[in-house]
Every structure is written in structure tokens, then in C-alpha cells.
Amino acid sequence: MISPFVIVIFGATGDLAQHKLLPALYSLYKKKSLGEKFYIVGFARREFSDDDYRQMISDELQKKNEPEWEAFIKNLYYQQGMFDEEKGYTELIAKLNGFDGEIGACITRLFYLATPPDNYETILSYLENTKLSEGCGQGSEKWTRLAIEKPFGKNLENARSLDERLAKVFEERQIYRVDHYLGKETMQNMIAFRFANSIFEPVWNKEHIDHVQVTFAEKEGVRTRGKFFDGIGMLRDVAQNHLLQMLAAVAMEQPKSFSKEDVRSARVNAIKAIRCPSISEVKNVVVRGQYREYRDEQNVTPNSQTETFVAAKLYVDTPRFSDVPFYVRAGKKMKEEKMEIKIVFKQTCHILFKEYGCPEVGNVLTIRIQPDEGITLRMIAKRPFDNSQDEPALRLDTVDMRFSYDQAFGGHGADAYEKILLDILHGDQMLFNRSDELESSWQLISTILDGWDKEKEEIPLYEAGTWGPDCANRLIESDGRKWL
């Protein structure tokens, strides 16, 4: 059972708060996972009363005549304030002290920064200056937590600066750097799948794996996120976190234990081992693109060079994966929506069956994170003889063995944000980025950004509903492989 708590959501009228955090909290409430007493405070600049804010959220989420919703929003409050003015923070202190008075004790405080990254340092400064970061009394700082959304910085220098600022205000055990993809059930299952099944570990290495593909494809464009996305791009918004986390799930070594620090250390070591190209090599191993209509989107500059697609060929310099290429790609306005990892094993069936012909691609293990979460193993099998054949010759084809979360378990478990919020309230940091993990990822990303700056070439365009620019195909096809 979770003890009484208060969540303060900075950026309470934004898309993340309205369409991710509050629906996740409502779902947890309906599952009776939030405990008997809790408070949710939205902090934003609009002048709302508590009732005004409750009505706005109800309208936005189209919640009407639901008794559970009406009970839930009684726990929802609002604090008007500008991020760069002390008045709102001072009034927030009084509100939080009132909640403590109702309970008769200092309760857990979670400050959730659901704002654009440009606001992070300002909010941190006011949390420190007003002593909100210290909790409600001596020793209560251990019950105070901070959740901060990706992207954590814009480059290595900026990320280090932000991390130093965080460290001055909060201890590492209080900080929850949110990458919601780590909360996906399929991502969490990777450790169990790899290390609890003895059939995979012996072949999970360079002797048997030809290459790995990681795809993060979205059918939608930037929609209403043009102001945030323009100048950030897919490299910072997706590759620095989601793609590298998916890569690390494949490349990491077995943790010493299932404790939060051992799991995080294994993940960090995998990211640290990614080979960083030189600035001059970037153009040979990383490509980018922009969908043709991007510059016409709302709040996007007319001559924007922001990438909506990125693909790279990376290597993980460990004994297990030495010289095994990891092809990663992420894009908007793609042909279909899919987020998945493909482990492509070396094709060896031609050794015995060369005279009969082998499928071009043999065994492929696919871990699908979204949609239709599950795992598929492609195998080679003999096709049955049928009357259309002139003679009963041996023919080989590929078949799939499928595991679906929906079919096996009746669903894919808790929503990623539900899992993340519960872990924060329980004080479990396993699914959250650690400081050294971020530094390692930003070293790679910053080098790529520097390479692009040096290149100074017009960004390639691609048509919506495709798999990105032609250069992405050339990146993998030059090695005699293809995207699957």
C-alpha cells in the first residue's frame, strides 16, 4: 500500500500532463493502486481555480458521468504561477503545508517536470531557493523526489550542466530521469527473456548473430509539437534515449543481481561500449532526413534543417558483440507504426542444403515493443509436398513462432506511465536513467551533432508514408544487408 503523497505537475496544461500523466494516475486510481489519500497539484501559468482545472481536464479527456472520475478529480488541485516568478512557489508551499496538516504528518512530495526542457533549470532554481526541495521539515528531504522528462539536455555540455544543477538541489537517490520506454512491458521482459531461457544465452554473441536492427517508426508527423520538436529533432528526441535503450537491452551483459543498481550498471556498461565515430566518420555511419511537408507544420521555421528521420550503423565494443553491426533508425511519417528489435542470426542452412536453396534471411528473433507487443522467432522449415509440384523435391521456407502478450496474458500489463509513476512512489529507480548513463549516451550524440555541423549539407527530403530517405537504404545495403 502506498502511503499518502502529493504530486506537483509543472506544466499541468500541457500535452504530457493531460494525455499521459493524468490518465495513468486515473487508471491506477481505478485499480486501487494509489492508496487511500493522495493529492495531485497542477502548476501552470493560466488563471484557473481548482474547479476550472478539473473541468478543463474532464473536457479534454471527455470524461462525463463516470462516478469513479468524479471521485478521482476531487484529489486534483491547481496552483497558478509563472515558472520564473517566486509568487506561485510561495503559494504552493502553503498548499502543500495544508495537505500535511490534513494528514498530520510530512507526506511524500513528487515534483514532476512535465515542461519543455528550457524550463528545467529555472524550476530547479526556485525549488531550491524556496526550500521546496527540502521537504516539509528536518530530515524529510528523503521523502522528496523529482521526476524529469527527456530530453535531458541538448548536447554533452548542456547535459552535464543540467546534471550538475540537479546534483546541487537533489541527491541522486531522489532523481528519476524518465524515459517511458523503459516502462514498456516488452522492454522489461528482455532481461527475463535473455537470461531465464538457457536456449538463447549460448547463441547471443558474435559467433551466431549476423547483425541487429532497431526500428522506431511513427506514422504521424509532429502534429502540435512543432514548437518543441523544431531544433530538437529525432536524434535528441528519440535516438539519445529510446534507440540507445533498445540497443542496450540487446547488448548488455547479465547483471550481477536483479537489484536496481546492478541492472542499471549493466545497462550503463553497454552504452559506454558503443563505439563513438570521429567527427569526420559521422557522414559514413549516420544519415538523416526530413519529411517533405515538415516545414509547413505549425510552429516550424520555413527553412528548418531539423531531422525527422535518423539512421546509424553502430558497434558495441565488447567481447560478446565485437564487429557485429547494430543498424538503428527512427523516423516520423513512416510507412507504418512499429517499434521493434530484430536479432538476425547468421545464415548457415546453405552448408547442408545448398543444392535446394535457402531463404535469403534465416533465423530472426523479433521483439516487438509496439504495437501488438510480443516476440516472434522466424525459423526455416521444409515445405510439404503438394500436387502442383512435378516431383517431390525438397523445398525450404520460413515460418514464424509467435508469442503475444494479449493471447498469453490477456494484455500487456500496466501502461508505461502507470509503471513509471508507481515505481517513483515506491522509490524504485531501476527503470530510470542514471547520471553516468546519460553522459555516455550524450558523448555519442554530441559527436554526431558536431559531424552534421561540419558537413553543412542540405538535409535530404523523403516522402511521407515511406521508410525514409534513400541514404538510409544505402547505409545497410552497402554491407550486403537490407532493412527487415
Side-chain angles (χ1 to χ4, degrees):
M1 178 67 69
I2 295 177
S3 301
F5 65 87
V6 55
I7 296 178
V8 180
I9 302 176
F10 290 92
T13 57
D15 186 73
L16 174 63
Q18 294 185 51
H19 298 113
K20 295 294 184 183
L21 297 179
L22 289 172
L25 287 165
Y26 178 48
S27 179
L28 291 171
Y29 174 77
K30 291 193 293 183
K31 296 174 183 176
K32 303 188 185 303
S33 299
L34 294 184
E36 295 182 1
K37 197 66 177 174
F38 62 91
Y39 307 87
I40 303 167
V41 181
F43 189 109
R45 70 176 184 273
R46 298 189 200 178
E47 293 187 1
F48 284 150
S49 66
D50 292 342
D51 286 338
D52 290 338
Y53 184 57
R54 291 165 182 167
Q55 186 62 52
M56 186 202 76
I57 297 299
S58 298
D59 292 343
E60 182 68 26
L61 299 180
Q62 298 181 346
K63 300 291 184 183
K64 293 182 179 179
N65 303 319
E66 291 186 32
E68 288 178 306
W69 175 256
E70 295 303 320
F72 170 74
I73 61 172
K74 289 179 181 178
N75 301 280
L76 190 60
Y77 301 83
Y78 187 77
Q79 176 59 56
Q80 191 274 332
M82 306 298 288
F83 297 147
D84 58 353
E85 295 179 4
E86 189 172 312
K87 181 174 180 289
Y89 297 88
T90 303
E91 293 175 353
L92 177 62
I93 291 172
K95 195 181 294 284
L96 299 184
N97 288 341
F99 298 150
D100 291 334
E102 287 183 26
I103 300 297
C106 291
I107 63 176
T108 298
R109 294 178 178 182
L110 167 60
F111 300 108
Y112 202 115
L113 274 55
T115 70
D118 290 345
N119 299 124
Y120 290 167
E121 294 206 30
T122 300
I123 296 171
L124 287 170
S125 293
Y126 278 95
L127 290 178
E128 180 183 30
N129 294 340
T130 60
K131 299 189 183 303
L132 274 164
S133 59
E134 297 179 11
C136 64
Q138 188 175 9
S140 65
E141 68 275 359
K142 66 180 180 179
W143 304 112
T144 304
R145 295 160 193 169
L146 179 89
I148 183 169
E149 281 276 342
K150 66 153 186 84
F152 313 104
K154 292 185 176 180
N155 52 42
L156 179 59
E157 182 180 354
N158 182 253
R160 281 175 175 163
S161 175
L162 176 59
D163 215 46
E164 289 170 2
R165 191 76 190 89
L166 281 169
K168 288 180 180 178
V169 184
F170 295 95
E171 296 180 20
E172 181 65 26
R173 63 190 172 92
Q174 296 175 278
I175 302 169
Y176 294 78
R177 300 174 186 84
V178 177
D179 178 352
H180 76 276
Y181 247 66
L182 287 175
K184 296 280 188 181
E185 188 64 43
T186 317
M187 287 293 289
Q188 296 176 58
N189 190 46
M190 281 290 290
I191 293 178
F193 179 77
R194 282 189 56 190
F195 301 117
N197 293 290
S198 60
I199 62 172
F200 293 112
E201 181 62 15
V203 297
W204 206 272
N205 54 57
K206 63 183 179 182
E207 304 302 327
H208 299 90
I209 293 176
D210 180 79
H211 70 281
V212 177
Q213 298 183 18
V214 179
T215 296
F216 186 103
E218 300 174 284
K219 288 191 73 173
E220 295 284 351
V222 294
R223 294 183 294 178
T224 59
R225 297 178 73 233
K227 185 175 181 180
F228 162 80
F229 186 86
D230 199 40
I232 297 292
M234 289 301 279
L235 186 68
R236 293 181 177 97
D237 191 39
V238 173
Q240 184 270 329
N241 36 76
H242 298 340
L243 283 187
L244 293 188
Q245 294 297 342
M246 293 162 78
L247 183 154
V250 177
M252 65 189 284
E253 295 297 322
Q254 181 171 321
K256 294 178 181 178
S257 72
F258 203 60
S259 69
K260 67 178 181 181
E261 289 309 324
D262 283 343
V263 171
R264 295 210 291 181
S265 292
R267 204 165 61 219
V268 168
N269 290 337
I271 292 176
K272 283 182 176 180
I274 299 172
R275 186 186 305 169
C276 188
S278 67
I279 291 177
S280 60
E281 291 173 332
V282 167
K283 64 179 180 296
N284 299 323
V285 296
V286 185
V287 300
R288 56 180 168 161
Q290 183 186 94
Y291 64 83
R292 193 171 295 278
E293 301 88 354
Y294 174 72
R295 296 173 191 178
D296 297 326
E297 298 278 20
Q298 183 181 355
N299 295 320
V300 171
T301 56
N303 60 346
S304 175
Q305 293 293 300
T306 299
E307 78 284 354
T308 60
F309 177 94
V310 63
K313 178 171 68 173
L314 303 173
Y315 290 93
V316 179
D317 288 331
T318 61
R320 181 188 294 270
F321 280 108
S322 177
D323 294 327
V324 174
F326 285 70
Y327 301 96
V328 302
R329 59 177 173 172
K332 294 185 180 293
K333 288 283 187 178
M334 296 282 96
K335 187 174 183 178
E336 63 181 275
E337 184 104 1
K338 68 175 181 179
M339 292 79 180
E340 63 184 21
I341 301 166
K342 288 184 179 291
I343 293 93
V344 183
F345 291 89
K346 293 181 178 179
Q347 176 63 295
T348 58
C349 85
H350 61 273
I351 296 172
L352 182 61
F353 299 99
K354 58 183 178 182
E355 61 184 288
Y356 301 103
C358 288
E360 182 181 356
V361 178
N363 302 131
V364 179
L365 182 66
T366 301
I367 296 98
R368 177 161 287 211
I369 297 156
Q370 190 176 319
D372 305 323
E373 293 90 336
I375 298 171
T376 301
L377 177 61
R378 180 190 296 178
M379 301 186 301
I380 297 174
K382 174 187 172 297
R383 288 187 66 88
F385 170 73
D386 61 63
N387 294 330
S388 64
Q389 295 176 248
D390 295 332
E391 56 184 59
L394 177 64
R395 292 197 300 163
L396 301 176
D397 208 342
T398 57
V399 294
D400 289 338
M401 292 182 63
R402 301 179 185 275
F403 153 61
S404 163
Y405 274 91
D406 279 338
Q407 292 179 3
F409 301 119
H412 52 78
D415 169 80
Y417 271 100
E418 291 178 36
K419 173 64 175 169
I420 282 168
L421 287 164
L422 280 181
D423 281 356
I424 297 173
L425 294 172
H426 283 294
D428 186 349
Q429 292 179 305
M430 182 184 293
L431 299 180
F432 300 86
N433 296 134
R434 207 166 62 188
S435 177
D436 51 351
E437 184 176 355
L438 284 176
E439 172 129 355
S440 297
S441 65
W442 272 115
Q443 285 176 342
L444 171 65
I445 299 303
S446 289
T447 300
I448 295 171
L449 291 170
D450 290 343
W452 286 350
D453 286 343
K454 182 180 179 182
E455 211 175 299
K456 297 189 183 302
E457 293 182 2
E458 188 75 14
I459 191 167
L461 302 180
Y462 63 91
E463 300 297 331
T466 66
W467 286 113
D470 292 338
C471 52
N473 292 325
R474 292 195 295 270
L475 180 71
I476 190 169
E477 289 171 0
S478 62
D479 295 335
R481 301 180 177 100
K482 64 180 182 180
W483 293 107
L484 299 177

